[in-house]
Amino acid sequence: MRHFHGSCHCGNLEVDYYTTVAAEDAAVRACQCSFCRKHDARALSDPAGSIKITAHDPEALERYQFGFKAIAFLFCRKCGVYVSAYRQDGENAYANVMVNVLDERIRFPDPAPADLEGESREDKANRHRSKWTPATLTLGY
Ligand SMILES: [Zn+2]
């Protein structure tokens, strides 16, 4: 399993991404939703991997939602950096990681556009559960 570390700009939000896929072979997506477009976000996930997100100061963790409100867009209130889209389903959670926050972001390929407009709530849920990465969110140190 490969490990990629990342963080927001001020370091409050840290991400540890574990994946079976080499950086150079990763399928990076440029989600075309109205939020991701504004960030020029490049997203990555691996259902065989895992993501550990740590919010050292939970007060500075924003969980922005819109549309179906099925997922939370996690970003740091101190420095404004968007680190992950996160879905909580009862005890399970699934997330993707924003390549731009990874320390080794330069190694990843250019993204392919992913236009998910018109996707139903159910299709979205199934896609997150099957394609996103099993995730945990830790609040505090
Ligand atoms: Zn920050």
Side-chain angles (χ1 to χ4, degrees):
M1 200 67 92
R2 294 165 172 85
H3 173 222
F4 295 97
H5 174 264
S7 68
C8 67
H9 189 263
C10 73
N12 177 46
L13 303 182
E14 272 192 278
V15 180
D16 289 291
Y17 177 55
Y18 297 88
T19 177
T20 56
V21 183
E24 293 74 13
D25 298 329
V28 180
R29 303 181 307 276
C31 175
Q32 298 298 297
C33 90
S34 53
F35 184 85
C36 289
R37 273 203 320 263
K38 286 183 187 289
H39 287 269
D40 209 8
R42 300 189 292 153
L44 195 56
S45 59
D46 178 359
S50 63
I51 294 176
K52 181 176 188 286
I53 300 166
T54 306
H56 294 293
D57 175 5
E59 298 278 296
L61 168 66
E62 181 63 49
R63 306 174 198 229
Y64 180 69
Q65 294 190 299
F66 70 94
F68 291 135
K69 301 196 172 174
I71 63 171
F73 295 81
L74 305 184
F75 66 89
C76 178
R77 288 182 188 174
K78 290 181 184 169
C79 67
V81 172
Y82 167 35
V83 299
S84 173
Y86 192 91
R87 180 187 192 93
Q88 187 77 49
D89 275 345
E91 301 212 333
N92 299 316
Y94 307 90
N96 56 31
V97 64
M98 296 308 133
V99 173
N100 292 341
V101 309
L102 298 178
D103 301 339
E104 297 183 75
R105 61 189 164 272
I106 199 156
R107 291 180 54 195
F108 291 83
D110 287 340
D115 193 343
L116 304 162
E117 177 117 356
E119 190 177 43
S120 73
R121 177 188 283 267
E122 192 179 12
D123 287 349
K124 204 173 277 294
N126 289 333
R127 177 171 54 79
H128 295 157
R129 291 177 190 127
S130 62
K131 303 244 174 82
W132 281 14
T133 316
T136 59
L137 175 58
T138 303
L139 302 177
Y141 283 85

